[in-house]
Structure formats: structure tokens, C-alpha cells
Amino acid sequence: MSKLPHNSIKKPKAILHMDGDAFFVGVEVAKNPKLRGLPVVTGEERGIVSALSYEAKALGITRGMPIFQIKRNFSNVIILPGDYKSYIRYSTKMFDIVRRYADDVEEYSIDECFADLTGVTLHLKMTAFQIAKRIKEEVSKELDLSVSIGVAPTKVLAKVASKWQKPNGLTLIKKDDIGIFLKETAIGKIWGIGPKISAFLHTKCVETAYDFANKDREWVRENLSRPYEIIFEELNGVYTIPIDPKPKTSYSSIQKTRSFSPATNNKAFLLSEISKHIEEACFKARYFNLTAKKITFFIKTKNFRYKTLSLDLLHSTNTPEALQSLLEERFYEIYEKKELYRTTGVVLRDLRSNGFAQGNLFGVTKADRFEAVHKKIDALEEKLGKRVVHLASTHESLTREKIGSDAEEIDRHLLFL
DNA sequence: TCTGGGGTCCTAGGACCC
DNA sequence: TCTGGGGTCCTAGGACCC
């Protein structure tokens, strides 16, 4: 039984959420200050806009817009390829600044983190707001980056706060003021509430986050699943989603997918695409010393219907050959000639670390040989750059690639995310 | 937003077992 | 071969995130 002191009506937590403003572009400007104040986008290598400056946004450009369209319609916009090495470097430095003030920092994505300031305020004799302000100043001075910060009693509310004023915002939500903020926040803007749940809630006359937070708990339990009950608690100021400061060291799944246009029913092409995905997913798995016990292949039709094929592997593996023949044997189960497909993909699941790469269907000895071969290939690619060696079955898809090398280069850096 | 790529977590319901 | 009731395990797919 817990023996909390009688007067420990807990002081609300002070959770900080920091979010980079147009982060990739922000880093580009920090690297090259001449870009400041100009419309800039990144994503040239992908063919779609990944990040855009506020000046570019003002022109009506949006994330995901095709690069060719920008070239055609906005000749004054500066288009840059992503420089993920720099983004990672700045990201690390940004989080290190937060760590000067908090022990528990959760790196949520490349440009976002959470931190618990609750205990720190006493220690530093500063309020959470003052600490947040200092962090902002140091990020700006030392890295020349602009960030938005929110401080609130829970993670979900801290996200509301950091979004409240963007860019360069600093917003504190006190426990007593929660309602003021939630009344002006549409339910769909809440972290964890997507389009489906949002639409459902609308049918129940829940329009704002305030409407939702004021439902009673029973109603939430009866109408929604567990994750939404947790969001409900958090919106009411009850700290429920803990900060997880552990650095990410592994993966529970690895996937590779690619869309193409126009949609096609060319079986050889689809197979070669998937074959390439298998190789890349296995490459990444080997890099992290992981093996998969399950694999899912999928193709997505023109109308966004998924056809999936999930297979249990006899032994876990991270070498492509056996997966490749499995695919060829069973592809007919998902492929229909009369359909057109727009995307293919592979997901390695049930990953276990440090397992022996037992090469399954071929038996151990052959598998060992494959493993040795792959070690050499990986080493070779390390030296020469990726994509110097590949399976014959991948060949067709590679020869069709136009912007291969850039994309591969970036992919390599993304391995470290 | 007529929809890119890489992830995570949750759960309904089927398979299987007394 | 009529077919109860209750439990666990597991998977496929849904929903969401950046």
C-alpha cells in the first residue's frame, strides 16, 4: 500500500515540448545565412517538398507538392536537396541544450523532444517558463535555429502549447487555464486524434478538445478504445503518458516501400520492385544486427486497397535470397492481372537482435555461405558507396531509376535516425 | 491534402485448448 | 458429429505519428 504523505496533492508536472520551426529549412538557413528571408524548400532528391520556409508557405506552397510544379510556377523559390547529415548534427546539438536543464529528455523525432522540468525548477530557482525561455535563447544564439516551445502539465497539453504560437513561440499552459486553450483547439488538432476518430467524435457533437475533455470518463470508455481514454486524461491535466528518455537502439519492424506512376499490372516490374525492397530492408537489418522471423509483402492498388501476404519464416533471417524465392512462389496469392498497382512494399517483422542469420529454407550451410557473401558485399558497399552489388532479380528496377544515387545516399544517413 | 516513406501501438476475432 | 462455456495466444489490419 502506498504511504504518500497526506498533503501530497501532487503539484502539476512541468512538461516541455520543443518543436523546430520548418526544421530542415531552418538548418539550411543556419548553414547559409544568405537564404534567410527567402522562399526555400527542401526535398529536391525526392521529387516532393519535404520542408518549406514560412516565406515559401506564404506563396501557397505546401508539403508534398511536386518539385516540378515549383520549378514551373514559382521560379523564384530556392530548391535544395535534403542534407540529412547536417539535420542530424543540429538535432543532436539542439537536444543537448535541453539536457543542460533536464535529465529526462525524450527525443521524439528529428526535430521534436519532450523534457520533464518538474524537479529542475526548484533546483535552478527558475520557473519552467524561464527555463524554456533560456533554452530558446541558447538554441537561437548557438545554433541560429528557431524553435517553438510549450510547457504544460502533460505531454498532450505540451503539444497543444508548442503549436499555439508558431514560429518562434513560447506558451505556458497552467493547470487552471487548460480550458481556455482547449476551447479554441479543434479536436482533430490534438496529438493522437486522427481523421477517423475526429469524424466519429463530430457525429457525437464533440467539436473542440474542450468538448472532449468534458465528457465523462464512462462515456469515453464506452465509445472509444484505450488510447483515447489516455488522451482524455492528459487533456484533463492528468500526467499519463510518461516521458521515455531511453535512446532508441532498435526497431520492431523495418519496411521499404515505393510508389510509382502510372499504376501498372506489369508482374515482372512489381516483382523486381519488391525484390529491391527485400534487399534494402535486409541491408538495414544486417546493419543493426537484426533478423526477422516474419515478413509481409504488399501491393497497393490504384484505389488504395492493400493486398498483403504475411509469412512466417522457418528461421529468422536477414539475407534476401530465401525471401526472394518465397516471394516468387507465392506472389500469385496477392497479384491479380486485372488490377493496377501504385505501390509495393516489404515489412520485416518480429525482429530479434543478435540472432544468427540462419538462412532458412536452404539449410544452414548454404545460409552460412550467403551470410559470408553478404558480409563482403556490405563491406564493399561501405567502401564504394551503395548499390554496387545486387541480385539479378533487382536489376530491372534499378535500371529504371533516375535519381538513384542521391536517394540511396540519403537513405544511408536515415539508417542512423 | 486525391494521398510519400518509415515507423509504433492497439485490438477484434480466429485458432486452439480444456 | 449432438455441439457448452471459458480461457489464452496470436495475427492482420486499423489508426495514428513525423
Side-chain angles (χ1 to χ4, degrees):
Chain A
M1 215 167 80
S2 68
K3 292 272 182 205
L4 290 170
H6 186 59
N7 63 353
S8 77
I9 308 294
K10 280 222 201 102
K11 211 182 133 211
K13 290 213 170 242
I15 304 300
L16 169 143
H17 178 248
M18 179 172 82
D19 194 352
D21 296 325
F23 183 67
F24 292 175
V25 169
V27 172
E28 296 297 342
V29 175
K31 277 162 52 191
N32 177 8
K34 284 181 188 156
L35 296 173
R36 194 181 308 280
L38 301 177
V40 178
V41 307
T42 72
E44 185 174 30
E45 81 289 347
R46 293 207 308 168
I48 57 165
V49 173
S50 326
L52 60 162
S53 69
Y54 286 84
E55 293 79 7
K57 195 180 279 179
L59 297 175
I61 295 170
T62 57
R63 254 182 57 126
M65 188 180 274
I67 293 292
F68 75 84
Q69 233 174 54
I70 310 242
K71 285 184 178 159
R72 201 176 56 199
N73 303 336
F74 307 93
S75 53
N76 59 331
V77 170
I78 294 157
I79 302 166
L80 300 172
D83 169 12
Y84 289 84
K85 264 189 185 160
S86 296
Y87 305 157
I88 290 164
R89 214 173 50 236
Y90 274 81
S91 170
T92 306
K93 289 184 178 171
M94 199 164 80
F95 297 147
D96 283 348
I97 290 177
V98 179
R99 286 203 178 83
R100 293 173 190 164
Y101 298 92
D103 295 326
D104 292 337
V105 176
E106 175 181 339
E107 301 186 7
Y108 181 68
S109 74
I110 192 164
D111 72 328
E112 278 181 51
C113 70
F114 292 98
D116 190 345
L117 301 180
T118 315
V120 193
T121 53
L122 263 175
H123 187 245
L124 294 176
K125 297 203 174 88
M126 292 166 75
T127 63
F129 189 84
Q130 288 168 330
I131 295 172
K133 191 154 174 257
R134 273 271 269 285
I135 290 172
K136 246 170 85 65
E137 286 164 1
E138 288 173 17
V139 169
S140 163
K141 200 158 139 197
E142 296 172 32
L143 305 178
D144 198 13
L145 283 179
S146 153
V147 297
S148 295
I149 295 185
V151 180
T154 69
K155 283 168 91 175
V156 170
L157 289 170
K159 287 274 266 186
V160 171
S162 66
K163 262 204 248 180
W164 192 254
Q165 197 198 336
K166 241 184 165 316
N168 204 20
L170 175 52
T171 305
L172 173 71
I173 300 183
K174 291 190 181 148
K175 189 143 190 169
D176 293 339
D177 298 339
I178 293 173
I180 299 172
F181 287 86
L182 296 193
K183 273 181 190 163
E184 297 191 32
T185 305
I187 186 62
K189 295 281 181 196
I190 296 298
W191 183 42
I193 308 277
K196 289 280 158 65
I197 300 300
S198 183
F200 167 75
L201 287 172
H202 282 314
T203 70
K204 302 285 181 187
C205 297
V206 172
E207 307 290 339
T208 67
Y210 184 82
D211 298 338
F212 183 57
N214 278 286
K215 286 281 174 191
D216 48 68
R217 186 171 285 104
E218 279 317 303
W219 185 91
V220 176
R221 247 178 229 160
E222 277 163 25
N223 287 276
L224 296 164
S225 63
R226 178 73 184 140
Y228 304 97
E229 197 184 327
I230 291 170
I231 292 171
F232 170 82
E233 297 289 347
E234 289 252 319
L235 285 174
N236 280 291
V238 181
Y239 179 77
T240 310
I241 309 175
I243 290 203
D244 179 8
K246 286 188 301 296
K248 183 173 173 52
T249 55
S250 198
Y251 291 92
S252 47
S253 69
I254 289 174
Q255 66 173 302
K256 293 286 166 187
T257 71
R258 177 110 58 191
S259 301
F260 34 82
S261 147
T264 178
N265 66 349
N266 181 331
K267 192 172 171 189
F269 171 71
L270 295 172
L271 279 169
S272 100
E273 284 285 302
I274 302 182
S275 172
K276 185 178 65 183
H277 296 321
I278 293 174
E279 279 198 72
E280 290 179 349
C282 285
F283 176 83
K284 185 164 174 178
R286 288 196 301 278
Y287 183 87
F288 285 97
N289 199 21
L290 296 167
T291 57
K293 190 71 171 59
K294 289 177 190 156
I295 186 165
T296 301
F297 304 111
F298 70 83
I299 45 184
K300 185 158 53 164
T301 70
K302 203 179 166 189
N303 305 319
F304 290 82
R305 296 215 99 75
Y306 284 89
K307 308 281 173 185
T308 69
L309 175 60
S310 293
L311 301 173
D312 275 351
L313 306 172
L314 240 43
H315 305 282
S316 41
T317 186
N318 57 17
T319 55
E321 283 79 7
L323 301 176
Q324 181 60 46
S325 42
L326 265 180
L327 168 69
E328 275 166 19
E329 274 169 41
R330 306 198 41 182
F331 189 59
Y332 74 91
E333 292 177 35
I334 50 175
Y335 171 79
E336 287 180 275
K337 195 158 190 179
K338 60 175 197 291
E339 282 277 13
L340 293 176
Y341 302 93
R342 65 176 335 271
T343 307
T344 66
V346 167
V347 189
L348 299 181
R349 299 175 187 277
D350 236 34
L351 297 177
R352 42 202 76 180
S353 105
N354 207 14
F356 303 98
Q358 304 275 353
N360 56 53
L361 303 178
F362 292 102
V364 175
T365 48
K366 198 160 179 186
D368 287 348
R369 227 157 54 221
F370 275 133
E371 230 200 318
V373 169
H374 276 287
K375 281 221 170 88
K376 281 184 188 148
I377 294 174
D378 291 348
L380 196 62
E381 293 190 335
E382 189 67 41
K383 257 195 216 151
L384 303 177
K386 215 177 148 196
R387 281 283 73 87
V388 293
V389 184
H390 54 82
L391 295 179
S393 48
T394 307
H395 189 257
E396 181 183 355
S397 113
L398 283 174
T399 50
R400 296 174 69 131
E401 265 182 42
K402 284 167 239 113
I403 49 164
S405 64
D406 257 1
E408 302 298 344
E409 178 65 11
I410 278 143
D411 218 51
R412 227 173 149 74
H413 299 318
L414 282 176
L415 286 179
F416 297 91
L417 280 178

